[in-house]
Amino acid sequence: ENFGHVIFEALGSGTPVLVSDTTMWEEDGTSALRVLPLHDRTQWVEAIEEAADRPTVREAESDPDLR
């Protein structure tokens, strides 16, 4: 996505976003955005597993223990 529209939409809905460090994106510490080294397979695998284990926005909204 050259213009980042999908990234903005995902962040706006609370969806985790993983991008490489070759993009213009920078982590701000408050969003679901993770910037990872392009060629570090281990970090990508860990980040994907972590994102997959996170509750969805819908799950978090319906279960106060997940907030």
Side-chain angles (χ1 to χ4, degrees), residues 7-63:
I7 294 171
F8 281 124
E9 291 172 7
L11 292 172
S13 69
T15 301
V17 176
L18 308 175
V19 298
S20 80
D21 59 359
T22 61
T23 67
M24 61 159 223
W25 295 93
E26 296 179 8
E27 293 181 47
D28 64 6
T30 61
S31 69
L33 180 68
R34 294 264 321 262
V35 179
L36 302 160
L38 179 62
H39 298 291
D40 189 331
R41 184 178 299 198
T42 301
Q43 283 194 40
W44 279 94
V45 168
E46 290 172 358
I48 291 167
E49 288 174 344
E50 181 182 308
D53 288 340
R54 287 180 54 172
T56 64
V57 172
R58 187 170 292 150
E59 289 170 336
E61 289 174 348
S62 65
D63 186 344

